Amino acid sequence: MTETVERKLSVSAQPDNGTPSPLTPPKCSQSLEALKDITFGSIAGIIGKTIEYPFDTIKVRLQSQPSSLPLRYAGPLDCMRQSLHTDGLSSLYRGVSAPLLGAAIETSSLFFSYRLAQTALRATLYPPSSSDADPALALPLRALVACGAASGAFTSLLLTPIELVKCQMQVPLSAGLHRGAGPVAVVAAVYRHHGLAGFWHGQLGTLIRETGGSAAWFGSYEGASALFRRYDARPHPTTPLHEAAAAAAAPLPLWQQMLAGAAAGVSYNFVFYPADTVKSRMQTEDVAQRAGGARRSFWVVATALWRLQGVSGLYRGCGITVARAAPSSAFIFAVYEALRGWFP
């Protein structure tokens, strides 16, 4: 671990400074830091998506069951059993190409825009003071939560088209799509019926989920990391002061990084899950049907689902989503932090 990274961790661990440790790299050229965010975020996102994708397929199938018909799946386990029995394990990875690209774009965009938002706040609302040991670490938790929300709002614009293609491939209901249609066929069908704007169908749901979810994601990770650092740096009668200072300056153990990442994943997915449910239902509607003027807005879909199925309909598939989000998010943060440590 380099001196700059150790200094970053030691400052955030000081007991009289309540500031959690933001995911802020050492000072370097903006272009190099942007390249690191994009590269490291892409790698971490692809690894996380590979772990979680089968569970995501089950979640989408549970969310997109028609309200007017008897439920096809009794729950996540029944959905997995039927999927494996009908099409085998490959059916759970159907459409994985678009999500892998989406995961690379999403995660890199989140970390990149998160850093930019911090830079903007330091230049405006939170200018560094002479008492700050490191100006790059002068943001309180509430500011980091706001930075997370800003990064999610930006990322939603990039993510909506990719998620639309993913959902259409996971649940191919469109008249113009055959079972197991590839991404090119889905893109062609959407563009043929709705043009370029059709790829942002469900944008409001993605915006709500990403803005609130990313605020919870980064906020939970930063808050949990700060608690771990405070716990690791707590005074002990038998511990010499220099050893306590060294422990505070050291990076978090891997298990603590992963627990903080798991908490972030749970927070991200649970709080704004209803918005994701509505978005999935909008994006899995028959493309040809929507082309005939039956395209429904976010609030129309949400209201109809609430009237028919209530809270349980809005949170259908939430359990398996939270279960897959914890390990996926844990690996994302662990991989990103490790790459930042290896290539400061």
Side-chain angles (χ1 to χ4, degrees), residues 51 80 87 101 189 225 297 299:
I51 295 171
M80 178 176 289
D87 296 312
L101 174 62
S225 297
S297 69
W299 300 114

Side-chain angles (χ1 to χ4, degrees), residues 52-329:
E52 73 172 41
Y53 190 76
F55 304 98
D56 184 67
T57 298
I58 293 173
K59 178 210 71 169
V60 171
R61 291 177 180 177
L62 289 171
Q63 287 178 327
S64 57
Q65 296 179 90
S67 305
S68 57
L69 300 175
L71 296 180
R72 179 179 179 181
Y73 308 114
L77 292 180
D78 182 55
C79 181
M80 178 176 289
R81 180 187 61 80
Q82 291 192 42
S83 299
L84 292 175
H85 177 74
T86 304
D87 296 312
L89 181 63
S90 61
S91 67
L92 297 180
Y93 278 94
R94 179 175 296 145
V96 72
S97 56
L100 286 179
L101 174 62
I105 294 175
E106 177 185 17
T107 312
S108 60
S109 173
L110 283 172
F111 285 116
F112 170 68
S113 54
Y114 183 57
R115 181 180 60 82
L116 290 184
Q118 291 179 66
T119 302
L121 283 186
R122 289 189 207 100
T124 53
L125 300 179
Y126 295 94
S129 64
S130 58
S131 61
D132 294 324
D134 188 343
L137 300 176
L139 293 180
L141 180 59
R142 63 181 179 274
L144 296 175
V145 171
C147 291
S151 69
F154 171 75
T155 302
S156 71
L157 295 172
L158 307 176
L159 201 58
T160 299
I162 297 172
E163 290 206 343
L164 183 139
V165 174
K166 179 207 73 170
C167 289
Q168 286 284 325
M169 293 179 67
Q170 287 175 317
V171 187
L173 302 177
S174 301
L177 297 177
H178 58 81
R179 189 177 186 84
V184 175
V186 174
V187 169
V190 173
Y191 184 78
R192 181 170 60 254
H193 289 289
H194 294 292
L196 195 60
F199 292 99
W200 276 268
H201 185 55
Q203 166 62 25
L204 181 58
T206 309
L207 176 65
I208 295 173
R209 185 200 68 193
E210 287 297 311
T211 302
S214 296
W217 198 57
F218 283 112
S220 298
Y221 181 78
E222 301 286 14
S225 297
L227 290 176
F228 279 131
R229 288 192 176 88
R230 209 167 289 131
Y231 175 81
D232 294 341
R234 71 194 188 285
H236 193 277
T238 61
T239 304
L241 291 178
H242 70 278
E243 291 185 8
L252 289 178
L254 179 61
W255 70 271
Q256 290 183 350
Q257 289 183 2
M258 297 193 75
L259 277 179
V266 171
S267 300
Y268 171 93
N269 284 275
F270 181 78
V271 177
F272 290 91
Y273 188 83
D276 185 65
T277 299
V278 176
K279 187 266 311 177
S280 293
R281 295 180 73 88
M282 293 175 67
Q283 293 184 331
T284 53
E285 289 179 337
D286 192 316
V287 174
Q289 178 185 355
R290 288 192 272 116
R295 187 173 186 175
R296 300 187 296 170
S297 69
F298 178 88
W299 300 114
V300 170
V301 174
T303 302
L305 183 60
W306 171 264
R307 289 175 177 172
L308 288 172
Q309 300 179 14
V311 175
S312 62
L314 293 172
Y315 275 92
R316 178 170 294 122
C318 182
I320 194 170
T321 301
V322 171
R324 57 91 172 168
S328 173
S329 186

